[in-house]
Amino acid sequence: MLRHAELDRLSIAHIDCDAFYAAVEKRDDPSLRDKPVIVGGGRRGVVSTCCYVARLYGVRSAMPMFKALRACPQAVVIRPRMSIYAGVAREVREMMRSLTPLVEPVSLDEAYLDLSGTERLMHASPALTLARLAARIEREIGITVSVGLSFNKFLAKQASELDKPRGFAVIGRAGIREFLAPRPVATILGVGKAMQAKLADAGLQTIGDLQREAPEDLMRRFGAMGARLARLAVGDDDRPVDPEGETKSVSAETTFNEDLRRLDELEHELWPLCEKVSRRLKAAGLAGRTVTLKLKTDDFHIRTRAESLPHPTQLAEVIYRDARELLAREADGTAFRLIGVGLSHFDPPELADPPDLLDRRPGQVRAIETAIDKVRAKFGEASIGKGRGLELGPPVSSRPATSPAEPARPSAHTRNSPARDRR
Amino acid sequence: MKLSIERVALLTALAHVQSVVERRNTIPILSNVHLDAADGALALTATDLDIAIVEKVPAKASRAGATTVPAHTLYDIVRKLPDGAEIELAQKPGDTRLQLRAGRSEFTLACLPKEDFPVMAAGDLPAKFNISAADLRRLIDKTRFAISTEETRYYLNGIYLHAAQSAGVPVLRAVATDGHRLARVETPLPDGAAAMPGVIVPRKTVNELRKLIDGVDGDVEVALSDTKIRFAVDEASLTSKLIDGQFPDYERVIPPDNPRALAITASDLAQAVDRVSTISSERSRAVKLALDKDRLLVSATSPENGTAVEELTAAYNEGALEIGFNSRYLLDIMDQVEKGGEARFALKDSGSPTVVRDASDEGALFVIMPMRV
C-alpha cells in the first residue's frame, strides 16, 4: 500500500465508512457480528444499509425489504437509529478535523479531505496520516472505513471504491486515461439513470467512449453536463474541498414522546426549533426567504407547507410568526408525532430583515435576539429565553420519559413555570 | 337579442370590462361578460365579485335582450376583426348560443343564463364628489408604484384616499406605501369630499380605474361609503369593494425636519442610477450615493459583477454623507418628478428615512428608506 511512485504528491482523500449503519449496529451488539444485518424497514420498507455478510446473499441498499428477505431470509432486520448514527458520524468527523480543517462532509458516512500542507504538522505524508486515521477510527470508534487518495475529488472517490471494505487505494496522475477508460459512465457523479440512458443512446457506455469524443461534441449534445463529462473522463476535476459545502437549507425537527394534537402544544414545540434554526443561520451568515413547516402524522404521513417571506430573515421571531401561521392551518385535531421547521433560498445576511418605515419591529427584534444570543453565549442555553418558552413547561421531547413529577434537568425557565402542572 | 355595433366601440368597451375578468375562474359565470341590448345601446358588465365594471356603447338594437358569453373569447374575436367592421350579435329567444357575424366571419359562442350573473350590490353611497380625470390620474400615477404586495399587510395593498389638511388648506390625499417607500400626493379638496370617509382602494381597482380614465377629459363622479366606492365617467362605471382595514398613521413616518438638502435634476440622477445599478447584484439592487460639496457619486459594488461609479453635479453643501438605496425604489421616485424637473432630497443620515420632493409639484412628497450598503 505504501509504495506508489506519486504517493507523496497526492493529498486529496475520500473517506467512506463501510456499511455504516450496519457497522454501528454490529459494534453495539457483538452477537450480530457474523450474521447478515439489514438496517431499514420503517415506512417505505427498503434497505438503507446492509452489512457485507448480507451482500453475499445479493442484498443491496435501496432494495425493497421483501426482496431482500427473499434473498436472505435469515437476515436480522434493524430499524434505523438515526440519532445514534449521527453521533458516530460526528465523532468520525472530529477525528478528520484533527488532521485538517478542510473536511467536506458529503453525507453522514462520507467526506472529502484536503491534506495539502499537513506533512510538517503531522510529521508524515498524507498517505501515512490517512492510514493512521483509518486505524484510529477502527480502534476508537469500532467501525471500518475505506480510503481513496488521489489529486482531486473525482479520483479520490473512485479510489475509495476500489478496495472496499477496509480498503486503501491510491490513484496517481500516470495512466489516468487507461485506468478510467473501461469504467462505466455511471461511476461519474451526477450521471444517473436518465443521463446513462441518454449516453447509451449516443453509444457512450464507458468512460473510454467519452474520452474518444471531442469535448465540443459532448458539450453541444449534453450542454453543461457534456463539458463536465469531457473533463471528468480524463480525470480532470478542479472542484476544491469545501468545508462549508453549499448549504441549501437549514432546518431543525423534533419527535414527540407522545403524539400532539393541540395547536398550543405544537406551537410550544415549534418555538425552540425556530430559535435553533435562527441560531444556525446567524452562525453561518445566511438569511433565508422561504419558511418550510414539516409535520409527521401519527400514521407517518409527512406534511410539508412552505411560504415565501417578503424579505430574507435570520430572526427566530420572524420564522416563528410565519411557521405558526402555517401550523395553525394544519392543527385540525390530527395527531402529530413530529414537527420541523426549515429555511431555504438564501441571500447574503445584509439583505436580511431590512428596516421598515411602518414596522419598527424588525430592528427591535434583532436587538432583542442579539442580546439573548450574547447572554446565552456567556451563561448557557437555559440562562435566558423568551416568555413564549415558558407557557407549557419544557417541551415534551426534551423531557425525561421517566419521573414526571420531578424534571431531571431543572433549568431556570422550568423552575418558574406556573403552567407546568397542567400536563 | 339582436343588434349591430361598430367594431371600435365594442372593442374599447370590451377592453375595459374584460380586464376585470380573471384568467382562471372556479365559478364559470365569472369568466363571462353580461351583454344587455336595449334602447339603442349595448351595456357590457364584467365582475370578479370585488369589482364590477359596466359600460354602455351605442348600438342599433333591433331586438332587446340579454345574455352572457366568455369575455376573453369575445374580446379576442373582436380584436382580430378588421378595422371598421360592423358586428352583428344575435341570439334567438330560448337559444343558448350567441351568433356573431362580421363581414364573412361567423362565430357561435356558448352562453350562460343571464339570471346566473352576479349583481354587485353597491348599497348606499352617501359621500359624493366630482374630480377631474386629469387630477385623478395624477393621484394614481404618482402613488401606485408604492402599493405593497405583501399579503400579511393587506391594508397596504391599495391607495389610501382621504380628506386632509395641508398647511391649513383642505386637500384630497392619496397615500401608498410598502414600508420601503411612501408616496403622498394631494390635490385641492373637491366640493362635497369633506364628508368622505378615509378609504383604501385596492390595487386591482386602481389599475382598472386608471385604464378607464385614460385619455378622458371631463370629470369623474366619485360616490362612496366606507365599504364600497363607485367611479363613473362618461358611459362607464366601476364599482369596487374597499379594503377593510386601518391604514397606518403615515404622517408619523415622514420626517419633518431632515437637515441636509440636496437638489438635482431628476432625470440625470435616474440615468446615472440606472447605469450604475447594472452592476448591483440581482437580489439587492443596491446603489450608494456619496455626497460631498456640490458633488454626488453614484456607485455600486458586487462581488460577482465588479464595480461602477458615476459622478454628478448637484446642489449640496451639508457635509459628506454616504447613503445606500435600492436602485429600483430610487428610480420609481425619480420617475414621478415632472419631466426635466428637479428632485429635492432632505436627508438626515445613512440609516434614516429620506424625503424627496418634486420642485415643480408642491403636492407630491415621497419617502424612501435607505438600505445598508
Side-chain angles (χ1 to χ4, degrees):
Chain A
M1 174 189 89
L2 294 180
R3 286 168 56 152
H4 186 285
E6 299 176 40
L7 199 57
D8 294 338
R9 280 173 286 145
L10 304 175
S11 57
I12 307 291
H14 179 255
I15 299 185
D16 196 356
C17 302
D18 302 322
F20 183 51
Y21 301 172
V24 174
E25 295 299 343
K26 290 197 177 195
R27 175 195 76 166
D28 291 354
D29 181 357
S31 74
L32 297 173
R33 211 188 63 181
D34 300 315
K35 293 182 184 150
V37 169
I38 298 176
V39 177
R43 200 163 43 90
R44 291 190 306 141
V46 296
V47 175
S48 12
T49 311
C50 53
C51 72
Y52 285 88
V53 182
R55 288 183 200 192
L56 294 177
Y57 293 89
V59 180
R60 294 286 176 267
S61 56
M63 185 182 258
M65 195 58 84
F66 73 91
K67 266 195 182 169
L69 288 174
R70 203 187 296 153
C72 181
Q74 69 274 41
V76 180
V77 179
I78 299 172
R79 284 264 192 143
R81 300 183 297 156
M82 291 312 296
S83 59
I84 305 286
Y85 310 146
V88 176
R90 224 172 1 250
E91 290 174 40
V92 173
R93 222 168 283 156
E94 276 320 302
M95 288 190 187
M96 293 173 178
R97 291 206 178 104
S98 69
L99 306 181
T100 169
L102 297 179
V103 176
E104 178 184 332
V106 183
S107 61
L108 275 186
D109 56 351
E110 260 184 85
Y112 290 103
L113 283 77
D114 183 346
L115 292 159
S116 311
T118 61
E119 293 87 344
R120 301 248 317 255
L121 188 65
M122 297 293 150
H123 305 292
S125 67
L128 193 55
T129 303
L130 286 165
R132 285 178 185 155
L133 172 69
R136 186 177 165 209
I137 290 173
E138 201 169 326
R139 195 172 61 240
E140 293 181 20
I141 299 180
I143 61 166
T144 63
V145 297
S146 293
V147 180
L149 177 62
S150 189
F151 55 93
N152 65 36
K153 283 162 80 172
F154 171 57
L155 294 170
K157 171 137 175 120
Q158 298 286 332
S160 75
E161 281 160 14
L162 283 180
D163 194 22
K164 255 176 143 353
R166 219 170 160 247
F168 195 119
V170 176
I171 299 177
R173 286 177 177 79
I176 273 300
R177 290 180 73 103
E178 295 72 22
F179 167 78
L180 288 172
R183 301 179 167 265
V185 288
T187 53
I188 296 177
L189 188 75
V191 177
K193 281 218 172 74
M195 192 67 204
Q196 225 178 310
K198 260 167 102 179
L199 292 170
D201 283 348
L204 304 169
Q205 298 196 334
T206 65
I207 295 181
D209 294 337
L210 292 172
Q211 289 170 353
R212 279 184 289 278
E213 297 290 316
E216 307 80 59
D217 283 345
L218 289 173
M219 235 189 307
R220 199 170 54 238
R221 273 187 283 173
F222 305 107
M225 187 66 196
R228 207 173 110 93
L229 290 174
R231 280 190 288 109
L232 293 180
V234 292
D236 192 3
D237 176 15
D238 57 3
R239 293 170 300 159
V241 173
D242 179 4
E244 304 286 328
E246 195 194 346
T247 311
K248 293 215 166 78
S249 72
V250 170
S251 61
E253 61 182 47
T254 182
T255 303
F256 318 135
N257 289 343
E258 300 154 43
D259 293 349
L260 299 181
R261 295 169 190 273
R262 280 185 10 222
L263 178 60
D264 60 340
E265 292 175 330
L266 290 161
E267 280 174 352
H268 191 65
E269 298 290 335
L270 179 61
W271 170 244
L273 299 177
C274 294
E275 285 199 294
K276 202 167 176 180
V277 169
S278 162
R279 189 162 52 236
R280 289 172 54 195
L281 288 170
K282 287 167 188 160
L286 294 170
R289 301 198 299 282
T290 306
V291 174
T292 304
L293 176 78
K294 175 179 169 186
L295 291 161
K296 198 188 273 180
T297 62
D298 57 346
D299 56 354
F300 290 88
H301 284 291
I302 292 180
R303 294 188 195 174
T304 57
R305 300 288 180 266
E307 199 164 69
S308 287
L309 298 166
H311 306 286
T313 191
Q314 291 189 314
L315 301 177
E317 187 67 36
V318 177
I319 301 169
Y320 177 76
R321 236 185 283 151
D322 197 80
R324 208 209 73 92
E325 289 286 308
L326 296 171
L327 175 62
R329 284 176 230 160
E330 302 303 317
D332 50 8
T334 309
F336 294 107
R337 66 190 320 268
L338 171 150
I339 190 169
V341 66
L343 236 71
S344 52
H345 291 116
F346 293 127
D347 279 321
E350 58 269 22
L351 298 182
D353 308 295
D356 190 292
L357 283 167
L358 303 161
D359 187 357
R360 298 277 173 96
R361 279 180 306 180
Q364 288 168 354
V365 169
R366 181 184 283 270
I368 292 168
E369 289 193 11
T370 311
I372 291 178
D373 292 343
K374 275 187 188 153
V375 173
R376 283 181 169 167
K378 204 162 177 183
F379 300 108
E381 199 51 42
S383 58
I384 189 169
K386 283 206 170 185
R388 181 177 296 135
L390 301 179
E391 284 156 27
L392 293 171
V396 175
S397 52
S398 70
R399 278 205 317 181
T402 53
S403 69
E406 198 58 45
R409 292 189 300 150
S411 60
H413 65 265
T414 60
R415 233 177 276 136
N416 297 325
S417 165
R420 208 182 72 216
D421 297 337
R422 274 203 304 194
R423 285 171 178 271
Chain B
M1 166 170 106
K2 188 166 182 183
L3 63 98
S4 88
I5 187 168
E6 271 182 63
R7 171 185 175 267
V8 62
L10 184 58
L11 185 64
T12 314
L14 268 175
H16 289 150
V17 303
Q18 62 87 29
S19 76
V20 173
V21 177
E22 296 288 343
R23 284 281 158 192
R24 284 196 201 98
N25 264 310
T26 44
I27 309 170
I29 191 99
L30 293 183
S31 301
N32 280 17
V33 55
H34 183 274
L35 303 174
D36 188 358
D39 307 330
L42 174 68
L44 300 95
T45 310
T47 183
D48 65 357
L49 297 180
D50 290 325
I51 307 174
I53 296 191
V54 187
E55 188 154 349
K56 266 190 184 174
V57 281
K60 292 186 278 279
S62 50
R63 186 165 70 232
T67 189
T68 81
V69 291
H72 295 305
T73 313
L74 181 61
Y75 176 62
D76 285 345
I77 292 170
V78 175
R79 203 165 46 83
K80 291 172 185 173
L81 288 173
D83 228 4
E86 186 76 12
I87 298 170
E88 190 187 291
L89 298 174
Q91 188 189 30
K92 294 193 189 96
D95 197 354
T96 57
R97 288 165 305 167
L98 179 78
Q99 302 279 341
L100 184 154
R101 278 198 201 90
R104 297 184 185 188
S105 311
E106 188 175 327
F107 299 84
T108 307
L109 296 172
C111 301
L112 287 172
K114 61 177 192 289
E115 293 76 20
D116 294 354
F117 196 81
V119 178
M120 194 161 140
D124 193 22
L125 302 174
K128 289 186 173 65
F129 62 90
N130 282 11
I131 180 173
S132 80
D135 281 348
L136 190 55
R137 278 196 295 269
R138 175 172 156 267
L139 292 181
I140 293 174
D141 291 349
K142 293 194 173 183
T143 54
R144 67 169 160 176
F145 69 92
I147 298 175
S148 169
T149 52
E150 203 182 311
E151 279 168 31
T152 47
R153 291 197 281 183
Y154 61 93
Y155 48 83
L156 300 181
N157 298 162
I159 292 179
Y160 181 46
L161 199 62
H162 61 296
Q165 297 275 329
S166 194
V169 179
V171 291
L172 177 66
R173 245 184 214 167
V175 181
T177 180
D178 61 2
H180 310 292
R181 57 261 172 84
L182 175 144
R184 188 193 79 184
V185 179
E186 57 201 25
T187 191
L189 192 69
D191 287 343
M196 74 175 278
V199 293
I200 308 168
V201 185
R203 160 196 293 277
K204 186 175 174 187
T205 306
V206 168
N207 292 336
E208 297 307 325
L209 172 63
R210 182 63 186 81
K211 286 180 211 161
L212 207 60
I213 62 173
D214 198 42
V216 171
D217 284 332
D219 275 3
V220 180
E221 286 173 44
V222 185
L224 68 157
S225 65
D226 51 14
T227 57
K228 300 258 170 68
I229 193 163
R230 170 175 294 161
F231 300 91
V233 52
D234 299 334
E235 287 300 304
S237 94
L238 180 159
T239 310
S240 168
K241 289 183 186 167
L242 294 162
I243 292 176
D244 181 14
Q246 179 73 45
F247 199 81
D249 178 11
Y250 63 87
E251 290 290 0
R252 197 173 47 83
V253 306
I254 303 175
D257 40 21
N258 276 356
R260 304 174 197 241
L262 158 75
I264 188 163
T265 306
S267 53
D268 289 354
L269 179 58
Q271 284 166 21
V273 166
D274 190 22
R275 275 190 288 269
V276 165
S277 67
T278 319
I279 288 296
S280 312
S281 76
E282 190 62 30
R283 289 287 308 162
S284 82
R285 298 173 172 280
V287 291
K288 188 164 79 180
L289 308 190
L291 294 159
D292 214 332
K293 191 169 167 29
D294 291 333
R295 202 175 69 132
L296 169 59
L297 277 184
V298 183
S299 66
T301 314
S302 138
E304 302 94 51
N305 298 338
T307 61
V309 62
E310 185 159 338
E311 187 176 329
L312 294 165
T313 47
Y316 180 79
N317 191 15
E318 309 282 352
L321 173 69
E322 288 197 347
I323 187 166
F325 292 109
N326 180 315
S327 58
R328 190 71 259 147
Y329 298 167
L330 208 50
L331 289 174
D332 280 342
I333 291 176
M334 290 308 107
D335 271 354
Q336 310 317 319
V337 176
E338 301 293 328
K339 262 211 166 60
E342 189 180 74
R344 291 193 176 150
F345 286 71
L347 307 112
K348 186 174 173 217
D349 53 49
S350 63
S352 302
T354 295
V355 176
V356 185
R357 286 176 175 277
D358 178 348
S360 51
D361 183 355
E362 275 298 300
L365 175 146
F366 309 94
V367 182
I368 178 170
M369 197 71 196
M371 63 190 289
R372 302 182 282 262
V373 283

